[in-house]
Amino acid sequence: MSNISGVRVDEDDTVCQNGKSAAMNIVKLIQNMDVSKIKDTFLPCQGQLWHEWCRTNKERFHLRGNIEREKSQKDKKMMQIRQKQCAASCSELMKSFTHSLMSLEQKDKEYFLKWTQILTDDLSSKDLSSILQNYDEKWSEVLALKKKYDKSDQLKVKQTELEQISQKLQAATFGLEHIFREMSQIYEAHQSLKRQTDCRHTEWVKYPELAADLMISGHPMELMDGDAGHVPLTWISGLLQEVIKKLGDQRVFVLSVLGVQSSGKSTMLNAMFGLQFAVSAGRCTTGAYMQLVKLSEEIKADFKFDYVLVVDTEGLRALELEGHNTLHHDNELATFVVGLGNMTLINIFGENPAEMQDILQIVVQAFMRMKKVQLSPSCAFVHQNVTDVAAAEKNMDGKRRLQEKLDKMAQLAAKEEGCEAECFSDVIAFDVKTDVKYFAQLWEGSPPMAPPNPGYSESVQELKSIILSKASKSEGIKLSHFSSKIQDLWNALLNENFVFSFKNTQEISEYRKLEVQNGNWTWALRSEMLTIENRLYPQIENGKLEKIELRDLSKEMNKTYEQVKTEITDYFEKDEDKEILVQWRGRFENKMKEFMRNF
């Protein structure tokens, strides 16, 4: 059509063609492959090896027994994994990708990345549709067998096949972010060994510089790997050092966003700053991404910093992570993101903040435990999809209750950790009157034909004005300090394991009380055993007792054991927080049985 009408299109421009031809070289390598095997074949450093390294690294912070020996074993294992990553880091795809980044001009580079994204998305979407269709068919078979109350092996086989398709679906997600993740792992592996392998692929030293150029031009960079739940500190440090070399040690205002899955976090940031974070139904963003937004010349004079650093995160409470230590992962991610941000937007879908309250309790308690990391974050609550124009007025009572709930949990956490905090704002700066906003829904009607709601844009603009007015009073943070803060905060989080295993502060409090009770019960049994031993020992010494039967000892212990069992039952059934305690009942009853068996 453009040829006939004489309309000029940018696809004909040289820069666009250069970018496309470079992207096609990469796509040719993978176009006939099963999309679920691309990452294993061409991006081996970020798969099983990286996950194993992360797991070992986390274990290093929670050693038991012979600590020095265990630490040495873990360090050795981590170095072996890095050696394997170095050996595997010569894939054709990575060579072609990094060569294009090094050789292309800046404008060509932008087109190259865009074309790579478009073409890889196109490749994976074709395969994804067939995997999804296969998943749907298999799921229908499982549901049909369940309806018949089929208890045969056939149901188990079908369920296993369904789980395999589900894993294939996870493996089939392939895009530009995975290529950048591979770059980070190649760099980390070589940097930790401080030597170049026999492989000719020695451009790894230039990777942070390449990534820094892209970050400065506005490309989002992965801050935390969502699949492994880990921050590649060596890579992030190298990347930010290169950004500082190119821009100087600029001041940035860090704005992070947090919310449950599919609550409109990325959409809001994209509308507010003109960014391009991934948006779709389901869990599209994984981990955390950071993106630099330069202040325009018109408004620069009103601020003490030059850039806003936006941190977008994956949705919390994601169903596809269910059973994969979701609670721990979400609590850790939330604490990391709130701790990093000068300001955090807490995104809530609808009017009820209950889902986020539990996570915030853990964040507050974690901050109190990590006293060494000097944090002073602030937050604002954003309620999405609230259509009533009078929502702000009608929810005054709700706001008051939210404030009371937040204050109560801060006091409980302070009591637990022996800190001084009377209200939530003592830990995270928050003003309930100004820092709670209500957004209209994005679409007027049902997509795809629905037009955007003008009220949404107005709400975004209003929120942006509030953020900028708060930011104008902030000094921001230097990039070098931001890099150090990431290191300190992440190391503090690795040391913290206890708090993240709980749903909220109330659970932590109840578990600690239960541990004290368990100590009392154990001592009651141990004390009775010592009494029996003290009574029998003189008789044995004097020759009055020649033989002691185990059943006789058990009979003597039984009375105390029955009393302890009654106490345990009463504690779990009559305590005012028995609904919280019930989840640990079986574990503590088994502990007591094991204790008796060992004696």
Side-chain angles (χ1 to χ4, degrees), residues 284-302:
C284 38
T285 311
T286 63
Y289 285 81
M290 57 180 175
Q291 188 163 349
L292 274 176
V293 181
K294 197 175 193 303
L295 292 187
S296 62
E297 294 300 324
E298 304 96 84
I299 65 166
K300 217 173 189 179
D302 303 330

Side-chain angles (χ1 to χ4, degrees), residues 262-504:
S262 296
S263 59
K265 302 177 298 300
S266 302
T267 305
M268 179 175 68
L269 290 177
N270 292 351
M272 200 181 293
F273 296 108
L275 309 180
Q276 290 191 344
F277 288 120
V279 291
S280 71
R283 185 168 162 273
C284 38
T285 311
T286 63
Y289 285 81
M290 57 180 175
Q291 188 163 349
L292 274 176
V293 181
K294 197 175 193 303
L295 292 187
S296 62
E297 294 300 324
E298 304 96 84
I299 65 166
K300 217 173 189 179
D302 303 330
F303 298 93
K304 295 169 188 170
F305 50 85
D306 304 291
Y307 290 85
V308 174
L309 188 98
V310 183
V311 178
D312 186 26
T313 58
E314 70 181 66
L316 305 174
R317 304 293 187 249
L319 286 171
E320 53 266 58
L321 279 180
E322 203 62 50
H324 293 70
N325 215 354
T326 326
L327 199 67
H328 194 286
H329 172 73
D330 284 354
N331 291 336
E332 195 172 64
L333 175 68
T335 308
F336 180 63
V337 168
V338 176
L340 276 188
N342 294 109
M343 183 176 185
T344 304
L345 300 177
I346 293 163
N347 208 46
I348 295 155
F349 194 75
E351 294 165 34
N352 187 3
E355 289 162 319
M356 290 304 296
Q357 279 173 1
D358 284 344
I359 291 170
L360 281 175
Q361 290 187 36
I362 297 296
V363 170
V364 166
Q365 188 138 359
F367 282 178
M368 287 177 178
R369 285 171 73 91
M370 300 185 302
K371 298 182 188 82
K372 289 177 188 172
V373 187
Q374 297 297 314
L375 300 168
S376 53
S378 66
C379 74
F381 287 81
V382 180
H383 293 266
Q384 299 253 17
N385 227 42
V386 182
T387 48
D388 192 340
V389 287
E393 288 74 27
K394 288 182 180 177
N395 281 298
M396 286 296 282
D397 189 50
K399 282 187 186 181
R400 180 180 66 82
R401 290 183 188 283
L402 170 67
Q403 177 79 66
E404 285 174 359
K405 181 104 179 174
L406 293 173
D407 289 349
K408 189 180 173 185
M409 72 180 196
Q411 286 162 11
L412 183 60
K415 187 181 169 187
E416 283 292 308
E417 301 304 330
C419 297
E420 288 182 18
E422 286 301 313
C423 54
F424 178 75
S425 54
D426 289 345
V427 187
I428 299 173
F430 170 68
D431 180 352
V432 74
K433 289 187 177 175
T434 57
D435 296 341
V436 180
K437 290 291 153 203
Y438 295 90
F439 270 37
Q441 59 190 26
L442 172 59
W443 303 110
E444 284 186 334
S446 301
M449 299 302 287
N453 184 352
Y456 182 84
S457 303
E458 287 164 16
S459 300
V460 166
Q461 188 57 42
E462 198 180 310
L463 179 63
K464 187 176 180 180
S465 301
I466 290 164
I467 292 166
L468 291 175
S469 72
K470 281 181 175 282
S472 64
K473 297 165 192 163
S474 169
E475 295 278 336
I477 185 172
K478 282 188 173 181
L479 277 170
S480 56
H481 294 162
F482 178 66
S483 181
S484 306
K485 192 175 183 180
I486 292 171
Q487 305 263 346
D488 294 343
L489 183 55
W490 183 243
N491 284 324
L493 291 179
L494 287 175
N495 277 301
E496 180 50 72
N497 198 31
F498 176 72
V499 164
F500 297 145
S501 308
F502 296 92
K503 191 180 175 187
N504 53 39

Side-chain angles (χ1 to χ4, degrees), residues 89-141:
S89 66
C90 301
S91 78
E92 286 299 316
L93 187 141
M94 289 308 298
K95 283 182 189 175
S96 179
F97 183 79
T98 51
H99 175 71
S100 298
L101 281 183
M102 287 174 190
S103 57
L104 291 171
E105 295 295 322
Q106 184 59 36
K107 201 68 186 165
D108 296 9
K109 207 183 285 183
E110 286 171 23
Y111 277 105
F112 162 65
L113 290 171
K114 198 69 196 168
W115 272 115
T116 305
Q117 196 170 7
I118 291 166
L119 294 168
T120 52
D121 285 352
D122 186 46
L123 264 180
S124 56
S125 63
K126 285 175 189 171
D127 278 33
L128 274 173
S129 58
S130 65
I131 296 170
L132 284 166
Q133 189 179 347
N134 194 2
Y135 187 92
D136 188 47
E137 287 168 6
K138 195 63 66 180
W139 193 20
S140 301
E141 289 174 22

Side-chain angles (χ1 to χ4, degrees), residues 34 38 79 156 165 232 356 413 460 502 525 579:
D34 179 348
I38 291 172
M79 288 307 284
K156 287 179 184 174
I165 298 169
M356 290 304 296
V460 166
F502 296 92
L525 292 173
E579 292 85 0

Side-chain angles (χ1 to χ4, degrees), residues 171-190:
T173 53
F174 172 72
L176 207 52
E177 67 274 17
H178 296 105
I179 299 176
F180 284 121
R181 191 184 290 173
E182 187 73 4
M183 281 174 72
S184 78
Q185 283 314 300
I186 292 170
Y187 177 78
E188 286 220 326
H190 283 278

